[in-house]
Amino acid sequence: MTDTHASASRDDEPDLLRDQFRQLLRYRRLIGLGIGVGLLGGAWLGVTSAESYAAASDIRLRAPTNDPFNPAVSVDKTINMGTERQTAVSSSVAEIAVRSLGLPDSRLAAFQRGLQVTNPPQTMVLHFTYTTTSPGEAARRANAVTKAYLDLRKKQWGDLRDSMVKKSQNQLNPIAKEQNDLAKQLAAEGSAAPDSSRARNDDLLSKVGTLNSQIASLKALDMTAGTVIVKAVPPTASSGLGLAVSLGVGGAVGIALGLLAAWVRLVFDPSPRSSGDVARAVRAPVLGSLPRIADGGPLLAVDRSDSRLAEEYRSVAFRLAYDQRFADRRRLLVAAPRGGNGEAAAAVAANLAASFAETGKDVLLVEADLRTPSLTSRLRAEAPSRPGWSLPPDFDESGWPGPRQLQVDAHESGAFDLIPGERVRNVARALTSARVTRLIAEADSPNATVVVLAPPVLAYADALALVDRVDGVLIVCDPRAVHRADLVRIRELITGAGGTVLGAVTHAASRRPSRRSAAGAGHRGGAGRASDRPAPPGAAPQPPAPYPAASRVPAGDDTVALRTIRAGDR
């Protein structure tokens, strides 16, 4: 069993890598910006290095010695190559080279920028490289720096030797004078001179000989600091990579920078990165992923030319139908996290109602959005041909829901009933009324299904007032417009109110409709949505729009002189 799990984990690794790569491609702008920066840097490098030439020379260092063939002398222990390299790039060497080239002292900093000195590993060699825009000038300056370094080191060694010789000579002079005086005294005394004086004279002669030997050895030292083993010559080709190679390198670096920036953005992105993130946040499956929908267009997918959208709605409906939690009571609450997803939530609710009606269910769609109702104007809703005296008597005091139900024609999918939303003065009282409870309870009838469209969960508490009666909740969200913390909060609110999140439906960001589609929607929908916009601050509240079915009571034998006045209009 362990081997099976290990094999399955290894098989999932390519899928995880592909998923992560697709998530990185969400930030195409960052990747494109990185590539652009890399290409610009490569172009700049290719242009600036196209006219640069580098000339090089090498010096093998040696320490001052009076016997270069003595194997007991270890040069690598006498010379510190790190210190020598720092001396080679110092301003002291550059000043000598600038003077020898006849350049002004103000060019010293610019002269040093073109110089580079390296030390190949495990060698006593300094490699001088000078880069400038002229091949001949590059060779001339490299040789000048080499000579300046050798001259400086020779002078430093010579000054050190002269200082040591001077110190030895200062020690020798008093000792030699004392010995001369003592020798004259011994010569005058002859054999009568004491033994102590003779011993002192011998000691002084020994010291004089030692100091003379040291002075002779110092004067015999070879002060040459090194030997030029490679002389700089004018280069025949530019030292730059070339424009094509620079662009290639810049593009590769740009891709790496873009992917790094996209990865950093992905790590700190609070929005869900995939359907799996949405599922983990709501602890329910993602039942479907809708393509991009235009705002203001028809809600029903049968009114669109995109058959893929209609099939996606049918797929969501079938997955809900096979969910035992929904199949037991057939009550569904559709809500969005925030106001920006209300358009998609309305489309999902309407199309799920049409999909359930297509399977032979008696579907009732309740628009519980009493703040910005819009389904009546965007669906082909008509009132059934029944006289006013036959309407049910249970008219709620809050003004909603009204006594008459509308019927929506969904073409081939069939038809379903609609309880349209209306603006009321007390939304909470209307949503918790007994009439709403009885409407939702119609799902308990055989072959009946109730779909409730609620306002955004995080904007209003209206959806939470219906959760305990509907039980099953479907969340409609745009992963790029919602945060994972918002989805977690929605799940906590719904479960805390006694409901269950059945799943989520994701969709892409909405786009504005074209003139033709907007005009067509207005022609099909009638008056449009001008009445659904909130009134400006300070304006007097407008009375609720008249009930859509009030003007459609047929004439004839029915009583039409009576007028129904709702409680909200009193």
Side-chain angles (χ1 to χ4, degrees), residues 488-501:
V488 173
R489 176 171 170 77
I490 290 174
R491 174 181 55 79
E492 293 174 349
L493 291 174
I494 291 173
T495 55
T500 302
V501 179

Side-chain angles (χ1 to χ4, degrees), residues 209-333:
T210 301
L211 291 174
N212 284 327
S213 177
Q214 290 178 358
I215 293 173
S217 297
L218 290 173
K219 290 183 178 180
L221 288 176
D222 185 2
M223 294 290 103
T224 304
T227 305
V228 178
I229 57 177
V230 176
K231 187 177 181 180
V233 295
T236 58
S238 172
S239 60
L241 297 177
L243 184 59
V245 178
S246 298
L247 287 176
V249 173
V253 174
I255 291 174
L257 288 176
L259 290 176
L260 178 61
W263 178 79
V264 172
R265 179 68 177 86
L266 181 65
V267 169
F268 293 98
D269 190 1
S271 61
R273 295 173 291 184
S274 63
S275 298
D277 285 351
V278 175
R280 283 188 290 271
V282 300
R283 294 185 183 178
V286 176
L287 301 179
S289 180
L290 305 179
R292 193 183 301 270
I293 303 174
D295 287 341
L299 289 182
L300 292 179
V302 294
D303 293 341
R304 303 174 182 266
S305 59
D306 189 0
S307 61
R308 173 173 169 248
L309 182 59
E311 293 301 323
E312 191 67 31
Y313 284 123
R314 292 188 183 97
S315 175
V316 175
F318 277 115
R319 295 188 67 178
L320 283 172
Y322 286 106
D323 191 334
Q324 194 64 33
R325 296 171 298 177
F326 173 77
D328 289 342
R329 304 190 67 181
R330 298 182 304 282
R331 301 174 182 178
L332 181 65
L333 178 69

